[in-house]
Amino acid sequence: HTLAIFSHYQLAETQLHYDIKQPLQFSLQPLTVKKENKTLLSVHSITLKLSLRSLQTQHLAFSNVIIDGIDLHHQQGDKFEHLPALSIDRLAINNLSIATPAITINRAQLQIDNWQYSDHKQPWWQQFSGQFQLSAPQITWHNQTLENLLLNGTKQKQQWQMTGFSGKWQQADFNGKAYYNSDTQLLTLDKLTLINLRIQQSQPLL
């Protein structure tokens, strides 16, 4: 059964789970979003808790959204141009996998506070202002492999402050703090510690 939503997209192959004891919360499992019979997005499950603000205004708002099992390797290029503006106080994504020409992430856990969708031209992961946390067993970035990566920080407009990051690179453990400006693409390392770093002459650093 396919259910039309927002007049442009359809929910397909999903079951709705609802408990009267939690009237503002419901789950969809699994979830497939389609447009003109083309799959745009597939997730294993999603749980949404509606915010009381949605009952007071015309703005669609959720206090919590938990997504489990999403693979962005094979998603279509459609950017959901016709979605209405919406906000999520806390967005949590488990088992997240992403592949782009620059970066590959597998089985990551991502948490974002104050996520607000308003501009389909801007990447979804930049449309928030608040705290964030990312953990992943392995990330490949510009042909460099990072293991057991953990990022904690905050974002305000174009300023990213990584209050703590850690992981493993070239068999060395690292941790530190950093700042990033997405407008100027300037990364400033406030602190960096490397332990047991070994580099062979034949290994490119970048």
Side-chain angles (χ1 to χ4, degrees):
H1 178 67
T2 299
L3 175 67
I5 58 171
F6 305 131
S7 75
H8 292 91
Y9 302 97
Q10 300 84 40
L11 299 182
E13 305 167 5
T14 187
Q15 291 185 343
L16 174 66
H17 300 271
Y18 179 76
D19 187 347
I20 192 64
K21 297 179 181 179
Q22 297 177 304
L24 298 179
Q25 179 173 304
F26 62 95
S27 299
L28 297 169
Q29 183 181 11
L31 172 66
T32 300
V33 181
K34 293 186 175 183
K35 180 181 180 182
E36 298 176 351
N37 293 323
K38 182 182 295 185
T39 297
L40 304 180
L41 190 69
S42 296
V43 301
H44 180 264
S45 68
I46 180 171
T47 299
L48 306 100
K49 185 175 182 180
L50 197 66
S51 171
L52 291 175
R53 297 195 308 275
S54 290
L55 305 179
Q56 301 167 351
T57 67
Q58 296 181 346
H59 179 71
L60 185 60
F62 297 93
S63 58
N64 287 284
V65 172
I66 302 174
I67 299 173
D68 184 36
I70 179 169
D71 185 345
L72 300 181
H73 289 71
H74 307 295
Q75 302 307 325
Q76 304 295 331
D78 188 286
K79 296 181 180 180
F80 297 94
E81 292 93 338
H82 304 289
L83 282 180
L86 62 91
S87 64
I88 300 173
D89 295 339
R90 174 160 293 179
L91 171 63
I93 305 177
N94 303 316
N95 296 315
L96 168 66
S97 295
I98 299 176
T100 72
I103 191 169
T104 300
I105 304 175
N106 293 310
R107 304 188 308 279
Q109 317 295 318
L110 176 65
Q111 184 172 290
I112 294 175
D113 287 349
N114 300 319
W115 185 80
Q116 298 187 16
Y117 179 88
S118 59
D119 183 2
H120 71 269
K121 296 181 180 180
Q122 185 180 15
W124 64 269
W125 52 271
Q126 294 184 14
Q127 298 194 50
F128 78 100
S129 179
Q131 295 183 339
F132 67 90
Q133 182 181 82
L134 172 68
S135 63
Q138 187 178 87
I139 290 180
T140 301
W141 180 56
H142 293 289
N143 299 319
Q144 296 297 315
T145 299
L146 307 176
E147 298 178 335
N148 301 325
L149 183 68
L150 177 62
L151 296 176
N152 287 290
T154 60
K155 175 183 177 290
Q156 299 293 336
K157 296 183 179 180
Q158 307 307 316
Q159 301 291 331
W160 299 70
Q161 179 181 3
M162 284 168 276
T163 54
F165 63 84
S166 63
K168 185 181 289 289
W169 174 67
Q170 301 283 18
Q171 300 183 346
D173 295 320
F174 66 86
N175 62 78
K177 300 179 180 180
Y179 301 89
Y180 178 70
N181 187 306
S182 58
D183 276 341
T184 61
Q185 297 186 351
L186 176 63
L187 176 65
T188 303
L189 292 175
D190 183 47
K191 176 184 177 182
L192 177 62
T193 302
L194 289 169
I195 303 174
N196 297 325
L197 176 63
R198 299 178 182 180
I199 301 176
Q200 298 179 2
Q201 187 175 2
S202 59
Q203 290 180 311
L205 290 178
L206 299 175

